[in-house]
Amino acid sequence: MDFLPVNIRISDARILIVGGGRVATHKATILSRFTSAVTVIAPQVSDGIKALPFRWEERDFSETDLDGVTLLFVCTGDHTLNHHIHSLARQRGVLTSVCDSPAECDFTSPAIFREGGLTIAVASDAKDVRRSIRVRDRIKNQIENGTLSIE
């Protein structure tokens, strides 16, 4: 799998997260640094998600939830359901990240560091997420301690 690193303007995007557990909370927390225009749908939504400035609904996913969606994160923990949602999204041309199946992802989320107007993203093409995080953290530490100048 090869992924092209790109930045996507999300100011007008409709973003949907399907799932309300640990992985969905992690994705939602990252997204909250960039936008408040996210909807989360899951039978149970974590307190962490409820604390974010997002719209959330505690119910099962419905195909009509994909209406008008630009970016979709599928994080239900149910592989069969995730695959089904991805198939429906693909038919509609919705860019989808299936959190438990990199092979089904149209995009992946990099490890991100933001400082002012600079965003540094480190990605591993979904092969070694922990490595991406370690590299991001090293860059962050070097910037914060002045070893690496961003000026």
Side-chain angles (χ1 to χ4, degrees):
M1 292 179 299
D2 293 318
F3 292 92
L4 173 68
V6 298
N7 292 321
I8 298 174
R9 181 172 48 96
I10 60 170
S11 56
D12 300 326
R14 180 156 179 254
I15 301 170
L16 175 64
I17 298 173
V18 180
R22 183 184 57 79
V23 174
T25 302
H26 176 72
K27 294 295 180 188
T29 302
I30 292 168
L31 282 167
S32 72
R33 295 168 40 204
F34 297 88
T35 184
S36 60
V38 175
T39 300
V40 179
I41 296 172
Q44 291 183 310
V45 175
S46 74
D47 290 339
I49 291 173
K50 290 177 181 178
L52 297 172
F54 298 157
R55 182 175 157 258
W56 50 271
E57 297 179 33
E58 288 186 316
R59 61 173 177 77
D60 289 335
F61 168 81
S62 168
E63 183 175 349
T64 59
D65 292 325
L66 296 174
D67 293 348
V69 168
T70 308
L71 289 175
L72 171 64
F73 292 85
V74 183
C75 318
T76 72
D78 178 332
H79 302 297
T80 303
L81 179 58
N82 288 355
H83 179 76
H84 174 68
I85 294 169
H86 173 258
S87 296
L88 295 172
R90 175 153 284 197
Q91 292 169 10
R92 292 167 171 251
V94 176
L95 290 176
T96 304
S97 178
V98 181
C99 297
D100 68 349
S101 179
E104 292 183 286
C105 289
D106 297 315
F107 67 94
T108 60
S109 300
I112 300 166
F113 171 66
R114 289 186 92 182
E115 177 72 26
L118 180 68
T119 300
I120 297 171
V122 181
S124 67
D125 291 344
K127 293 180 179 96
D128 192 346
V129 173
R130 287 188 173 100
R131 181 177 181 211
S132 297
I133 292 168
R134 286 192 310 271
V135 171
R136 186 260 337 258
D137 289 347
R138 286 183 197 135
I139 293 168
K140 176 180 183 257
N141 289 336
Q142 289 180 351
I143 290 170
E144 290 176 342
N145 73 22
T147 307
L148 177 62
S149 174
I150 58 173
E151 298 305 319

